[in-house]
Amino acid sequence: MIQSMTGFGKASLQLPTKKITVEVKSLNSKGLDLNVRMPSSYREMELGLRNLISTTLERGKIDFSIYIENTAEQTTSKVNVTIVKAYINQLKEVHADADTTELMKMAIRMPDALKTEREEIDPNDWAEIQKVIHEGLINILNFRKDEGISLEKEFVLRIGNIRSLMNDAVSYDAERVETIRLKLKTALDELKVNVDENRFEQELIFYLEKYDITEEKVRLENHLNYFIETLEGTEANGRKLGFITQEM
């Protein structure tokens, strides 16, 4: 079955402390161009994730994103008290009479005023995230297959048109040969010269061989059949269909 390279898939899941959303977008590309966006805390899982995506989707310019929204009341970011106090003391040296509240607002914006404790990957959470990833990939595959069905119908229609036009062209072959024969005969008659009929027929046959399209018809017929055969295959066939089309 043919699949389109363009598609979109999305899946989400609400866990007790976070909401997980996966989005996959795909556009046409000669090969696989994969861009993965995910939270830094899960970066160690990226290599395996890339392998999964490339195996599943094979080709296309793919943007894959995992969004994790923390819905818990607690946060991993904490005020670095020591650093903030040091900033406030330094600011007081600049302006001793400055309002402490205003100094606090300034200090909290300074570098390293907030510290984020690295969150260890929870195996149970990652197992749930993987389910959402698989669901998102299944959704984009279904999108690709649906669009592929429409493309396949269009391809079959156009191959049928080419085959029909080819047969129409071949049906005029005998008439074309006779037309050429009459034109040559008329031209010779206008010259008012005596012509050996046997020699004329021999030269005519030689001349018409150059206009014979039997080989082209056979090759085109084979290419049309091979295109339909490849279209019905189960393997990725986009490049092969492109090559057959060039031959056609």
Side-chain angles (χ1 to χ4, degrees):
M1 171 187 266
I2 186 173
Q3 291 186 26
S4 171
M5 272 193 289
T6 60
F8 177 79
K10 183 177 181 179
S12 60
L13 176 67
Q14 178 66 60
L15 296 177
T17 60
K18 60 190 70 175
K19 181 181 179 182
I20 304 160
T21 303
V22 168
E23 289 186 0
V24 196
K25 302 174 185 178
S26 177
L27 299 173
N28 289 331
S29 177
K30 290 184 178 181
L32 178 68
D33 182 4
L34 177 58
N35 180 37
V36 175
R37 288 188 291 270
M38 61 192 303
S40 57
S41 56
Y42 290 91
R43 281 296 175 187
E44 62 188 82
M45 303 299 187
E46 183 175 349
L47 181 58
L49 183 57
R50 283 181 170 273
N51 291 335
L52 173 64
I53 297 170
S54 60
T55 302
T56 304
L57 301 182
E58 298 186 23
R59 290 179 64 192
K61 179 176 173 55
I62 300 165
D63 286 320
F64 181 93
S65 302
I66 300 178
Y67 304 102
I68 298 181
E69 178 185 354
N70 195 335
T71 57
E73 294 181 359
Q74 295 181 344
T75 177
T76 56
S77 296
K78 295 183 179 180
V79 176
N80 197 331
V81 178
T82 304
I83 296 295
V84 171
K85 286 183 177 180
Y87 281 137
I88 292 174
N89 291 333
Q90 291 179 49
L91 291 170
K92 283 183 176 179
E93 292 178 4
V94 177
H95 191 343
D97 297 329
D99 183 73
T100 304
T101 302
E102 293 300 321
L103 294 179
M104 174 73 74
K105 292 179 181 179
M106 296 174 63
I108 205 69
R109 299 192 190 101
M110 303 294 281
D112 301 322
L114 294 177
K115 59 181 179 180
T116 301
E117 295 180 359
R118 190 180 187 279
E119 184 181 359
E120 296 297 327
I121 296 177
D122 185 328
N124 294 327
D125 282 359
W126 180 245
E128 295 298 326
I129 292 173
Q130 285 181 301
K131 292 179 183 178
V132 184
I133 292 172
H134 282 286
E135 184 180 347
L137 292 176
I138 289 173
N139 289 339
I140 191 174
L141 281 176
N142 289 336
F143 191 109
R144 281 180 158 193
K145 288 177 181 178
D146 289 341
E147 190 168 327
I149 291 173
S150 299
L151 289 172
E152 183 173 354
K153 291 179 180 177
E154 187 68 20
F155 283 148
V156 171
L157 174 64
R158 292 177 183 271
I159 291 295
N161 289 341
I162 294 173
R163 197 187 302 275
S164 177
L165 292 171
M166 179 189 68
N167 291 332
D168 287 346
V170 172
S171 68
Y172 290 110
D173 205 33
E175 180 182 336
R176 183 172 65 99
V177 169
E178 184 59 26
T179 300
I180 293 174
R181 185 180 186 285
L182 289 175
K183 283 184 178 180
L184 290 175
K185 183 67 173 173
T186 300
L188 289 173
D189 289 342
E190 289 177 354
L191 291 175
K192 297 180 181 180
V193 295
N194 294 324
V195 177
D196 186 312
E197 289 296 327
N198 290 331
R199 180 63 183 272
F200 174 73
E201 292 296 334
Q202 291 175 3
E203 293 294 334
L204 180 62
I205 292 172
F206 176 77
Y207 182 74
L208 291 177
E209 282 180 350
K210 297 181 179 180
Y211 287 84
D212 184 67
I213 60 170
T214 301
E215 180 183 352
E216 284 73 17
K217 174 185 177 297
V218 171
R219 291 182 62 206
L220 180 55
E221 182 76 33
N222 288 336
H223 292 325
L224 294 175
N225 293 336
Y226 191 35
F227 189 97
I228 296 296
E229 178 185 330
T230 304
L231 194 64
E232 295 173 348
T234 56
E235 74 281 355
N237 48 23
R239 289 180 178 176
K240 185 182 290 187
L241 290 175
F243 173 75
I244 299 171
T245 303
Q246 289 179 353
E247 292 299 299
M248 288 161 56

